[in-house]
Amino acid sequence: MNRKTGTVVLIFLFAAMVFISGCVQNEKTQTPVNKESPETGKGDESMNIQSIKVSSSAFVSNGSIPEKYTCDGQNINPPLEFEGIPEKAESLVLIVDDPDAPEKTFTHWIVWNIEPVAKIEEDSIPGVEGLNDFKEIGYGGPRPPSGTHRYFFRVYALDKNLDLKAGAVRKSLENEMIGHIIAEGELMGKYRKK
């Protein structure tokens, strides 16, 4: 092979690589458009997700959760108040978790088919309860192994009641919620082990 032929071959190979890489890149760009994301419905673009203000008479947003509502105290749920629940809401879902847990986000309480009311009383069972990460049905209060952890009380207003049995796990609950969230809000409190 002479120098001229070698140069032509190299140019051809370079052009082919550019063409192939362009096709692959275009395929990657187009693929997600045609695939459904597992998160579809949590922020469903076809629905206008409204905001719910969540508060508690027991603690302020970003403040300390009183010991009474933790595993160091009475281990009962705190009272919660909601503002801005849409009129067309059929039910509420409440998920309480700790994203600061060592291995994964730790679920402390899941409740669904809650009447769309303005308040959940302390030490109550406002709806159908699922399995928390303590492997118990019901509320399991804060119990950080060390340091200060954040606990999120998230409420979701749905356009339907869920056909889900008591004791279901969080993943099942979240799957049932897909496409039905019309409003959401959260309150975060902190707790440090005594």
Side-chain angles (χ1 to χ4, degrees), residues 117-166:
V117 293
K119 185 173 186 176
I120 290 177
E121 301 291 340
E122 76 170 22
D123 194 18
S124 65
I125 301 174
V128 182
E129 298 181 303
L131 196 67
N132 61 36
D133 283 339
F134 292 118
K135 304 300 179 207
E136 298 170 351
I137 294 174
Y139 177 80
R143 186 189 295 173
S146 63
T148 301
H149 285 213
R150 297 168 299 151
Y151 297 88
F152 288 85
F153 294 76
R154 295 184 172 94
V155 66
Y156 302 90
L158 307 184
D159 62 4
K160 64 177 264 182
N161 279 297
L162 300 179
D163 186 22
L164 200 59
K165 293 187 175 166

Side-chain angles (χ1 to χ4, degrees), residues 52-54 80-95 110-120 126-129 154-162 173 177 180-185:
I52 298 173
K53 182 181 176 188
V54 185
L80 297 170
E81 292 87 39
F82 311 116
E83 287 179 42
I85 297 171
E87 284 186 26
K88 60 182 180 177
E90 292 292 322
S91 69
L92 302 179
V93 170
L94 181 64
I95 298 176
I110 54 173
V111 192
W112 58 94
N113 292 350
I114 302 169
E115 289 291 322
V117 293
K119 185 173 186 176
I120 290 177
V128 182
E129 298 181 303
R154 295 184 172 94
V155 66
Y156 302 90
L158 307 184
D159 62 4
K160 64 177 264 182
N161 279 297
L162 300 179
L173 171 60
M177 292 165 59
H180 298 287
I181 300 170
I182 58 175
E184 61 187 11

